[in-house]
Amino acid sequence: MNRILKQRAKKLYRETFGRTILVYLLYLFYLLVTTMPAVFLQDWLTGRGIGEWWSFLLAALLQMTLLLLLGPLNLGVTRYVYLLQKDRSPGAGEAFYYFTAPGRYGKGILAGFLQGLPGYLTLVITSIMDGTGSDVIEILLVFLLIAAYIFSIYWALHICLLPYILVEDEGAQLGHIRRESFRLMSGSCGRYFLLNLSFIGWYLLIIAVVFVGLLVVMVPVVYQSIQLGMPDLDALTQPFSFWTEIAVYVLMTLLAPYVSLTNAGFGDAALQGKVEELVWQGRMPYGGYPTAAGPWQQPPSYPPYPQGGPRTTSWQGQPGTPAWNQPPQPGPVPQGNPYTAAQQEEVFQYERYRQGQPMEPKSFTTYSTTGDPRSFLPWLQIEQSSLYSFLKLESWMPGMIAAAWQQAALGLSAQSPENSAAVKRTLEETLSGNRFRVTVMISSDPSCPGLRQVCIRIDLNPPA
């Protein structure tokens, strides 16, 4: 999954480098304005003889105020990244989107506060420490600070979809957005955490580059100062510490679009319920499906299905060769039992799988038609056949179906328009001692010129 998201992020970053860097210069401005004034104020107050605790408290209040007032700018940068990820060709002006109307700005402030709530809580706790005059209270504040850090991790992993949901539904209430983000991230927080953890190599590289650069600049100065009588090293290194922070901010700004585009891809997949499918695609060597919007994104419209939905065959005792171009005609709907024999058999086999028993050799074939293979959703064909258990097999069966479909669709696109030969692709995977084979065939529909007939066949434990 991480590989797929990062590949797309790199591609988008390269294609829009100039515009994206311009937007992230605004992000650099946001970082500097929300941190450096507080640092300068604290140093200035300390130099005027004001106590360290009061200096830190006033600096913390200034920083919280700036974070609140400029929070909409941070949301605007995230909005730009998300729209870029969605191939909506955003302009650099999207960074100022939440400043374009009073109501929008007010909601941006509240959304920024909600997203960064643990950070504000941590800042408040640290600002009142060392100034209570009580050791007991100080110890309690230390434990409270540790709890705040743990809460901040929990909150950040669950609230991460807030800016993306806000883009898709600006009129939604923040409470609803918060609940939706928590709901959609349920079960995916670990994946999101590991995705961000995978960038640790880049962060370590930035630290190494800055450290080496600092040594190259400082060593001659320190050596010369030692020869002249060893002045105060703190006073000597203070200017270098300032420029070191600036260098870190600049390098982080260059890295930030790559990280943000990757996270926006994860958020896009989470909003569409495609995280599990994306995980499967990243685990297997088959890739995604051929859509311009990205491998995990749903096309905007559903393909035209025949009246009554996809047609399905019955289960068969042993897999055989399907009549690819001769799908069975839909028969009368059975009275009484709303489930077909195929659906009942599928549930039975799925229960055997859940209980650790081997699934019997079976095959199932479903048919449909489409006029545009590029926007076809193969897993929806299976779902509309009411074979829901297939879509629950370790949560990767939809990805396997989509991967087989991609290979068939790519083979179809390689043909000339006049060529109407059928294209067939097969993938096979073993899971918990059971073999699964997915075969997709795309052929012309002789009864409907211009339409393609899609046959998807799933074999359980087929003969070798």
Side-chain angles (χ1 to χ4, degrees), residues 234-257:
D234 291 336
L236 183 65
T237 57
Q238 187 172 4
F240 292 103
S241 63
F242 171 77
W243 289 109
T244 298
E245 291 184 28
I246 297 298
V248 170
Y249 278 131
V250 171
L251 292 176
M252 291 290 289
T253 301
L254 293 175
L255 177 63

Side-chain angles (χ1 to χ4, degrees), residues 285-344:
Y286 304 129
Y289 14 93
T291 63
W296 59 90
Q297 298 174 4
Q298 287 190 9
S301 59
Y302 292 114
Y305 283 100
Q307 186 175 5
R311 301 184 293 273
T312 58
T313 65
S314 300
W315 285 85
Q316 301 156 6
Q318 291 290 338
T321 303
W324 292 104
N325 294 310
Q326 299 296 326
Q329 298 300 318
V333 178
Q335 300 295 325
N337 188 352
Y339 300 102
T340 65
Q343 294 164 17
Q344 295 181 63

Side-chain angles (χ1 to χ4, degrees), residues 64 116-126 144-145 148 151:
M64 283 190 289
L117 179 61
Y120 293 104
L121 180 61
T122 302
L123 199 56
V124 169
I125 295 173
T126 54
L144 186 60
L145 184 61
F151 173 68

Side-chain angles (χ1 to χ4, degrees), residues 122-437:
T122 302
L123 199 56
V124 169
I125 295 173
T126 54
S127 64
I128 62 177
M129 292 180 68
D130 299 326
T132 60
S134 171
D135 292 339
V136 176
I137 296 179
E138 291 292 331
I139 294 175
L140 291 176
L141 287 175
V142 169
F143 283 106
L144 186 60
L145 184 61
I146 295 173
Y149 281 126
I150 296 174
F151 173 68
S152 66
I153 297 173
Y154 168 83
W155 187 263
L157 293 175
H158 286 83
I159 204 67
C160 63
L161 301 182
L162 181 145
Y164 312 130
I165 299 175
L166 190 61
V167 174
E168 296 291 356
D169 189 3
E170 188 178 344
Q173 298 294 322
L174 289 178
H176 170 73
I177 294 177
R178 196 274 305 168
R179 289 190 295 271
E180 276 297 290
S181 181
F182 272 58
R183 182 183 68 83
L184 292 172
M185 287 302 295
S186 177
S188 298
C189 290
R191 297 186 180 115
Y192 184 71
F193 175 79
L194 293 176
L195 174 63
N196 282 273
L197 187 64
S198 66
F199 292 100
I200 191 171
W202 285 101
Y203 296 123
L204 293 176
L205 178 62
I206 289 176
I207 294 174
V209 168
V210 172
F211 180 74
V212 171
L214 187 62
L215 287 180
V216 171
V217 175
M218 280 189 62
V219 167
V221 176
V222 173
Y223 178 74
Q224 184 179 7
S225 300
I226 291 175
Q227 286 184 330
L228 295 176
M230 291 191 65
D232 185 4
L233 289 179
D234 291 336
L236 183 65
T237 57
Q238 187 172 4
F240 292 103
S241 63
F242 171 77
W243 289 109
T244 298
E245 291 184 28
I246 297 298
V248 170
Y249 278 131
V250 171
L251 292 176
M252 291 290 289
T253 301
L254 293 175
L255 177 63
Y258 177 37
V259 178
S260 298
L261 282 166
T262 305
N263 286 335
F266 182 92
D268 184 22
L271 262 58
Q272 297 192 47
K274 297 297 179 185
V275 173
E276 294 288 351
E277 183 177 331
L278 187 59
V279 169
W280 190 90
Q281 292 178 50
R283 183 172 66 87
M284 303 303 294
Y286 304 129
Y289 14 93
T291 63
W296 59 90
Q297 298 174 4
Q298 287 190 9
S301 59
Y302 292 114
Y305 283 100
Q307 186 175 5
R311 301 184 293 273
T312 58
T313 65
S314 300
W315 285 85
Q316 301 156 6
Q318 291 290 338
T321 303
W324 292 104
N325 294 310
Q326 299 296 326
Q329 298 300 318
V333 178
Q335 300 295 325
N337 188 352
Y339 300 102
T340 65
Q343 294 164 17
Q344 295 181 63
E345 180 67 22
E346 184 235 13
V347 173
F348 172 73
Q349 293 298 331
Y350 181 66
E351 288 302 316
R352 289 178 61 91
Y353 170 81
R354 289 184 59 194
Q355 296 170 11
Q357 302 176 15
M359 302 173 78
E360 297 178 1
K362 300 285 181 179
S363 65
F364 179 79
T365 307
T366 177
Y367 294 87
S368 185
T369 57
T370 179
D372 183 10
R374 293 174 300 177
S375 63
F376 189 72
L377 302 179
W379 60 91
L380 186 62
Q381 177 174 329
I382 302 298
E383 180 178 310
Q384 292 199 356
S385 302
S386 299
L387 297 170
Y388 303 112
S389 299
F390 279 132
L391 305 181
K392 296 186 294 186
L393 284 172
E394 295 295 325
S395 302
W396 57 254
M397 178 61 82
M400 188 174 180
I401 295 171
W405 165 259
Q406 180 215 23
Q407 296 188 10
L410 289 176
L412 183 68
S413 64
Q415 292 182 353
S416 62
E418 296 79 15
N419 190 352
S420 60
V423 177
K424 177 182 175 182
R425 295 293 186 272
T426 299
L427 294 179
E428 192 165 317
E429 175 70 20
T430 299
L431 179 67
S432 300
N434 293 281
R435 286 197 305 127
F436 300 90
R437 179 187 295 162

